[in-house]
Amino acid sequence: MPPVLSKLYRFSCTYGCKKRVFRSSGGLQQHINCVHAELSSDSENEENLRTTVHLHPHLTGTPVDKDGKPLPKHARPALLPTETAHMPLNPWAPFNSRLEFDFAYHHYVDRKSPKSAINTGLDLWLAAKLDALKSDKCEPLPWANAEGVYATIDQIQEGVAPFHTVYFQYKGPLLTHPPAWMTTKFELCVRDARQVLPPYQQYDSKNERVFSNLMSGNWPWREATKIHSNDPSTDGAMLVPVVSGLNKTTVSVATGSQEYHPFYISLGNLSNAACRGHVDSVIPVAFLPIPKETEKRKDYQRFARQLYHECIAYIFSPLRAGMTTPEIVQCPDGHLRRAVYSIGPVIADYPEQVWLSGIVQGWCPKCLACPENLDDPSARRRTHEKTDFAINTYSPTEIWERFRIRDDVVPFTHHFPQADIHELMAPDLLHQLIKGTFKDHIVTWVNEYIHANHPEARALEIIQDIDRRISGVPTFPGLRRFKDGRDFNQWTGDDSKALMKVYIAAIAEYVPERMVQCLAVFMNICYILRRNAISASALTEATAEREKFHELRSVFVEEGSRQHTSLPRQHALSHFIPAVQNFGSPNGLCSSITESRHITAVKEPWRQSNRFNALPQMLTIIVQRMLEGTTAWYTAMQMSASFLDAPAGGEEHGGDTEAGDSEVEMEEDWRLDDVGPVQGPCLAPSVKLSQTRERLENYPRELNELAAAIQEPQFVDAFLQYLHEQRHPTTPIPDPIQQYLSFSGRIYVHHSAVARFFAPSDACGSGGMQRKTIRCNRYWKGGVRRDTILVSQSDEPGMYGMIVARLRLLFEFCALVQWFPTQGEEPDPLTGLWKVAPEEEGGVAPLQVISLSTIVRGVHLLPVYGKGRLPESYCYTTALDKFQEYYVNSFIDHHAHELLVV
């Protein structure tokens, strides 16, 4: 066996699979998660834990053969189609080997290296060859320089869905001296839109309806019923909704900016977690040629909108035939099924919604409410039928004045069966709630209130102190710290989400109580709607909170911040509840998915282009990105294929498994960011210490010496009391404890632990799991970091069954903590957050040792700042030591909100 393979294969399964050996602890852990996983309990009530699914009775996605005839139950899937007979002998062509391909991939895709770096890499590669062969003849490198690398890359085939260009041009009457737009050919760069799961209804263990993925909503069920009613031969077919998303993005350049309008599609059969994975589940299918509105001529504006809809209709045209006649397709499980396509929800910001629905700015694209009273409960829904009736019945002037409809624009959905753009407009969490209602409205209105009710100097002083409060909150995994407050120019969606987590405590005492209550109610609505799975009772709660929000937001009008609150983005909140019932959780249809795709589909390809006529170069770059893997592993496999094909023996290759596991586990779990996804299935919540024990010179192993080293004299008694409770739980603890009990063993200190829990609404792995690091470190970046945690005390829900504690020491299986008991029996009526305070007796904080198994997760505390300015000497690193009371921040993430809010 080659020596390189003895290093690659050394991790054997310790659960009885003695012949299973893996290259790394990551591979071993993935095997354990899949085969020997401890399944999660139903304590986490999100997603589909202990749920019942009712499938649609007709469009069931039944597997078929190549002729479309249903297969018998449990039949094996057909073999995946292969092009082996037509493939070249070299699978890496136009490269000669995997090594050449990975060299080009590393520099061109991963590193985006300039020519000088590529030339340096080639020089080092040649030097390595010469050093290996010494005086022997050395084979030449595949390329002489970077130009050779680029030439080979350009020979790569563009795959099964290359981009092609379609031209659109104005066909109306020409003026005597026509402007440029009348004669210009506009280019639509597009690729084929064709490239499983039937509709279902999901119920939890209480028989309560749950809305999660798109296919669990009412709209797919109605769509499937409608398709089967129109054509009973579709029985057993599979509904494939095509979700689309579009919004423009700008690439900044030295002399201005370049706008691109990418158009994305995704299959509605995918889960929300897959859609939010920010990978290839969302595909750039076209770049729309949207001319800039530099002219105010009505004929120009009409042409621009018509061009917009004609381009989108052309993108969907390959699917039109499959919307009425089922098309046999092969699914990822290998089975053939008859697919019926349907235009699904459309993800777009409000300006794009106005263009898509053919209405006037300021009006609602989903209902006929007037701009002066958008939240009119009697407003009727818009439909294609009503629009067509109005156009055929009323004059253009009446259509404009009564309905604000553009009668000269035909929405693209008119070209396709059963599609209604007013129904398909998806709710947008990012632009309508987070950036719209919260950041652009509430935050702005609060500042306007402060300016309107205080002298200018005092107003600026208050706003500056609010910014200091925002920058001074304690650290927490995944929480962005605003070093200078929220007063900066370039805002992103992530910035708005981060501000939401800390804003409510910052403005308390500076604005009227009703403003704080208004913000708290809105935050509750937002966090309910951002869940990955929303129950019927949660929707009822969100509806009640929405009514409170509409009542409380009048305070901004009463205090002079606003003249009215009838705004399209806030009005969209009224359509969220029925949208959840129709399309499932909005978390899977948020424009943050498409905006994050801008990075790989627009910005990175643009940077790799030469900036001149960049779009064709960008399209080539998009389709040339492919394949992952390690070159060394592949080369080792080629060196000893016979070894890799034989069963590996656990005894032979598992000698140093324990050491290797420790090293790689630390590499994967403890050197990454403090928050992130956990790959693998849904597991039981857990808290595990880091693999690394801290040094003996910093933390003695003997109990009394350790207590002296960390300057915690209570630690000895607290630890002995813990041991007594574990051994004699029903016996009172003697006093003094040190006279009755002693401990002579070793104590190993750790600086961190990781809490893993089920949180599919946050950044999580494919199984919905997330990890967050909990730290207790006396040497943290020159200071001391002692995080706060939630400790379970009973089975009661929320904070009624938990208590907040602050870590003072983490050691083997245990933690030394200081308690932060709740203040009162209910949450604070102003903010809706629980208040806690550090426990003290005679000016001393009593400490206690608890089991690591009682820790639920880390928790974030917001200071109750009270009245008055923060002192200039205040620093966020000491925030947990400076205040008498704190809010338990249930808005720090979705998991905390659902865990704490009852």
Side-chain angles (χ1 to χ4, degrees), residues 234-400:
T234 57
D235 197 83
M238 169 181 69
L239 175 65
V240 183
V242 180
V243 179
S244 57
L246 69 166
N247 55 0
K248 71 177 181 181
T249 184
T250 302
V251 178
S252 300
V253 294
T255 57
S257 62
Q258 176 65 55
E259 289 185 356
Y260 292 97
H261 295 256
F263 189 94
Y264 302 97
I265 64 171
S266 177
L267 295 182
N269 308 74
L270 300 174
S271 67
N272 288 350
C275 293
R276 296 178 61 251
H278 300 166
V279 288
D280 289 338
S281 59
V282 179
I283 303 169
V285 73
F287 283 78
L288 302 180
I290 307 301
K292 293 183 179 180
E293 290 195 68
T294 55
E295 295 191 34
K296 300 300 181 182
R297 296 171 55 94
K298 289 185 177 180
D299 52 354
Y300 170 77
Q301 295 177 354
R302 179 172 60 250
F303 166 73
R305 286 173 169 78
Q306 290 174 346
L307 175 66
Y308 185 77
H309 285 276
E310 287 298 324
C311 288
I312 298 175
Y314 185 89
I315 294 169
F316 281 113
S317 59
L319 303 175
R320 185 183 288 109
M323 293 180 180
T324 54
T325 304
E327 181 179 300
I328 297 178
V329 298
Q330 192 154 27
C331 299
D333 64 356
H335 277 296
L336 298 174
R337 289 180 175 86
R338 296 188 303 145
V340 180
Y341 297 105
S342 182
I343 294 181
V346 181
I347 305 171
D349 189 12
Y350 178 71
E352 282 82 15
Q353 291 184 358
V354 169
W355 276 53
L356 288 165
S357 56
I359 64 167
V360 177
Q361 186 84 13
W363 286 63
C364 176
K366 297 185 75 70
C367 72
L368 292 168
C370 298
E372 296 79 16
N373 185 19
L374 283 172
D375 293 317
D376 181 5
S378 63
R380 296 174 298 167
R381 291 298 182 93
R382 293 183 185 269
T383 65
H384 276 181
E385 291 77 10
K386 292 178 182 178
T387 300
D388 293 341
F389 175 80
I391 291 175
N392 295 328
T393 305
Y394 300 100
S395 66
T397 302
E398 289 178 300
I399 294 171
W400 178 269

Side-chain angles (χ1 to χ4, degrees), residues 44 476-477 675 685-687 754-759 762 770-774 787-792 802-805 807 852-860 889-900:
E44 307 283 2
F476 192 78
V675 60
S686 65
V687 176
V754 164
R756 292 176 173 86
F757 45 84
F758 182 66
D762 300 296
Q770 189 192 54
R771 60 165 178 81
K772 288 198 174 182
T773 304
I774 302 168
D787 288 352
T788 46
I789 56 175
L790 281 174
V791 180
S792 176
M802 293 182 292
I803 185 170
V804 175
L807 293 173
L852 209 65
S853 62
T854 63
I855 299 177
V856 179
R857 52 160 289 164
V859 68
H860 187 238
N889 189 2
S890 60
F891 300 124
I892 193 63
D893 55 44
H894 304 89
H895 180 262
H897 185 264
E898 189 161 4
L899 188 67
L900 298 173

Side-chain angles (χ1 to χ4, degrees), residues 366-599:
K366 297 185 75 70
C367 72
L368 292 168
C370 298
E372 296 79 16
N373 185 19
L374 283 172
D375 293 317
D376 181 5
S378 63
R380 296 174 298 167
R381 291 298 182 93
R382 293 183 185 269
T383 65
H384 276 181
E385 291 77 10
K386 292 178 182 178
T387 300
D388 293 341
F389 175 80
I391 291 175
N392 295 328
T393 305
Y394 300 100
S395 66
T397 302
E398 289 178 300
I399 294 171
W400 178 269
E401 292 179 352
R402 293 183 59 177
F403 307 106
R404 285 301 192 263
I405 297 173
R406 295 185 178 273
D407 62 337
D408 55 353
V409 175
V410 179
F412 76 93
T413 46
H414 272 72
H415 298 270
F416 302 93
Q418 306 169 146
D420 187 334
I421 188 60
H422 306 295
E423 179 187 29
L424 295 176
M425 210 75 71
D428 186 2
L429 287 168
L430 177 62
H431 289 99
Q432 292 172 338
L433 295 190
I434 299 170
K435 292 179 69 174
T437 303
F438 172 71
K439 188 264 177 183
D440 292 339
H441 295 167
I442 294 179
V443 174
T444 301
W445 297 352
V446 166
N447 284 357
E448 290 174 352
Y449 162 79
I450 294 172
H451 279 287
N453 289 271
H454 296 88
E456 186 63 18
R458 175 57 179 162
L460 293 175
E461 182 180 299
I462 291 174
I463 292 175
Q464 183 182 22
D465 192 52
I466 290 175
D467 284 345
R468 281 183 52 76
R469 293 180 174 190
I470 292 171
S471 66
V473 299
T475 57
F476 192 78
L479 176 64
R480 174 188 168 171
R481 194 176 77 85
F482 296 88
K483 293 189 297 183
D484 302 313
R486 37 95 253 156
D487 190 17
F488 55 94
N489 296 325
Q490 296 294 328
W491 276 84
T492 67
D494 288 339
D495 294 332
S496 298
K497 293 175 186 177
L499 183 62
M500 290 181 77
K501 300 175 181 180
V502 299
Y503 190 64
I504 192 167
I507 65 171
E509 306 293 343
Y510 277 131
V511 298
E513 291 187 356
R514 289 185 65 204
M515 284 190 185
V516 180
Q517 291 174 334
C518 179
L519 175 60
V521 168
F522 170 76
M523 296 276 282
N524 280 331
I525 301 171
C526 194
Y527 273 72
I528 290 173
L529 295 176
R530 288 169 66 183
R531 293 178 186 174
N532 197 60
I534 306 174
S535 65
S537 60
L539 281 182
T540 302
E541 181 185 351
T543 303
E545 293 286 86
R546 184 193 65 193
E547 298 302 322
K548 291 182 186 177
F549 172 67
H550 284 170
E551 178 186 351
L552 289 168
R553 68 180 178 178
S554 61
V555 67
F556 292 103
V557 177
E558 296 166 3
E559 297 292 343
S561 298
R562 291 287 302 172
Q563 294 183 349
H564 65 86
T565 56
S566 182
L567 300 167
R569 285 191 172 94
Q570 284 199 30
H571 166 65
L573 189 59
S574 302
H575 296 299
F576 263 81
I577 307 301
V580 171
Q581 296 169 332
N582 281 330
F583 304 129
S585 170
N587 216 24
L589 296 172
C590 183
S591 59
S592 61
I593 299 172
T594 56
E595 289 213 346
S596 66
R597 200 70 169 95
H598 287 338
I599 298 173

